[in-house]
Amino acid sequence: DGLISGMDLSKIYATATGPLVALDGVSFSIEEGEFISLVGPSGCGKSTLLSILGGLEERSEGDLILAGQRLDRPRADIGMMFQTSVLFPWRTVRQNVELPGVILNLDKKQQAERCDELLDLVGLNGFGERYPKELSGGMRQRVALARLLAHDPRVLLMDEPFGALDEFTRETMNLELLKVWEKTGKTVIFVTHNIGEAVFLSDRIFVMTPRPGRLEGVVEVDLPRP
Ligand code: ADP
Ligand code: ADP
């Protein structure tokens, strides 16, 4: 039940000083359309959990189910975004946003139209022909957000996506993200170490303990959003 569920997920990294338990039996269930934040101190395993969900890391133990199917490899219906986004510098904003469509061989005309909608959605109307180096950090993350949405993934995994931005820009981007979330109905899992941000953004907050990473509790947030 739920769109995504994890059962007893564990991750043990092999390191020079021996095995390191990064996740120790994490279980959860997330409904379609929920905005979940994952919080906890540095090193508690937030990125590890997100990477396992995104298929970038293999889990050591446990099961992961997405829409009734066992999740074993990266899938196009799960999109990821990071603190620093790699945009291709020799491609325009538009070409960057259309890239997932090119890779997945989607209809060119449809992708072009979709790109216009997405640039509009993330507030980059009129910036399609610019190059990444001509944009501010916040605008580059807007491009990354549009690119993330380009092939319409069901789940957005975001690892401190605005963590490198100044506070004002970060708050603007948080509002932008909420707008996108409301319009698209996506399921979002958002990693942050900022509790205020988690409360502001989320339906529920997953709180993790450090070493070894466990899910310590789930906080239901019942605050009106803007
Ligand atoms: P967080 O995102 O909460 O800061 P991480 O998931 O990055 O935590 O890390 C959890 C633990 O796993 C930390 O102790 C970290 O040092 C360790 N770790 C993360 N990635 C690796 C890796 N590739 N190899 C070995 N240890 C790792
Ligand atoms: P702090 O003491 O950490 O500044 P705040 O509750 O003021 O705590 O804000 C924490 C974070 O929550 C902010 O950095 C921001 O990302 C987010 N946030 C809070 N209020 C807003 C808002 N009105 N619009 C957008 N983001 C907000």
XYZ file of all heavy atoms in Angstrom, residues 167 170-172 174-175 194-198 200, ligand 2:
124
model
N 20.127 32.512 1.410
C 18.873 32.255 2.100
C 17.650 32.811 1.367
O 16.622 32.154 1.264
C 18.942 32.829 3.510
C 17.759 32.384 4.318
C 17.954 32.587 5.806
O 19.111 32.649 6.250
O 16.934 32.685 6.489
N 16.950 30.703 -1.594
C 16.463 29.397 -1.168
C 14.974 29.460 -0.811
O 14.189 28.605 -1.204
C 17.278 28.895 0.027
C 17.021 27.432 0.318
C 17.959 26.890 1.371
N 17.670 27.427 2.677
C 18.546 28.030 3.464
N 19.786 28.186 3.077
N 18.183 28.491 4.638
N 14.599 30.491 -0.101
C 13.187 30.609 0.274
C 12.315 30.822 -0.956
O 11.218 30.284 -1.046
C 13.003 31.733 1.301
C 13.726 31.384 2.590
C 13.267 32.196 3.790
O 12.357 33.030 3.652
O 13.830 31.969 4.875
N 12.817 31.598 -1.900
C 12.076 31.789 -3.151
C 11.916 30.454 -3.865
O 10.841 30.120 -4.372
C 12.847 32.767 -4.066
O 13.178 33.916 -3.308
C 12.013 33.177 -5.262
N 12.003 27.468 -2.545
C 11.084 26.604 -1.796
C 9.634 26.915 -2.175
O 8.828 26.003 -2.358
C 11.284 26.784 -0.291
C 12.499 26.035 0.223
O 12.974 25.099 -0.422
N 13.009 26.445 1.376
N 9.334 28.205 -2.272
C 7.978 28.585 -2.679
C 7.670 28.097 -4.089
O 6.579 27.601 -4.375
C 7.821 30.117 -2.612
C 7.715 30.711 -1.214
C 7.852 32.228 -1.270
C 6.385 30.328 -0.580
N 17.549 21.283 7.608
C 16.897 22.448 8.191
C 15.454 22.098 8.587
O 14.574 21.949 7.746
C 16.915 23.571 7.143
C 16.383 24.887 7.679
O 15.494 24.913 8.533
N 16.923 25.972 7.182
N 15.214 21.977 9.897
C 13.898 21.552 10.376
C 12.819 22.561 9.974
O 11.716 22.197 9.596
C 13.888 21.391 11.920
C 15.034 20.483 12.360
C 12.537 20.906 12.413
C 14.685 19.067 12.638
N 13.161 23.863 10.053
C 12.195 24.899 9.689
C 11.721 24.724 8.255
O 10.528 24.848 7.952
N 12.668 24.441 7.387
C 12.363 24.224 5.979
C 11.458 22.997 5.812
O 10.479 23.018 5.066
C 13.683 24.011 5.246
C 13.602 24.003 3.760
C 14.997 24.117 3.162
O 15.670 23.092 2.958
O 15.421 25.265 2.931
N 11.778 21.929 6.552
C 10.985 20.695 6.473
C 9.546 20.954 6.914
O 8.595 20.517 6.265
C 11.624 19.600 7.325
N 8.000 23.775 6.906
C 7.382 24.687 5.937
C 6.877 23.938 4.700
O 5.816 24.239 4.173
C 8.399 25.755 5.546
C 7.906 26.705 4.503
C 6.981 27.687 4.819
C 8.374 26.612 3.201
C 6.528 28.563 3.853
C 7.917 27.487 2.228
C 6.996 28.469 2.558
P 15.659 29.508 10.677
O 15.767 29.868 12.117
O 16.417 28.243 10.332
O 15.912 30.632 9.725
P 12.921 29.637 9.680
O 11.701 28.946 10.195
O 12.945 31.123 9.655
O 14.145 29.043 10.530
O 13.204 29.138 8.213
C 13.749 27.907 7.994
C 13.686 27.640 6.520
O 12.308 27.397 6.166
C 14.118 28.802 5.684
O 15.503 28.838 5.442
C 13.352 28.551 4.412
O 14.071 27.688 3.599
C 12.060 27.931 4.878
N 11.011 28.957 4.980
C 10.483 29.483 6.107
N 9.550 30.385 5.829
C 9.487 30.439 4.486
C 8.718 31.208 3.571
N 7.803 32.103 3.962
N 8.903 31.021 2.271
C 9.793 30.121 1.847
N 10.566 29.368 2.642
C 10.408 29.535 3.945
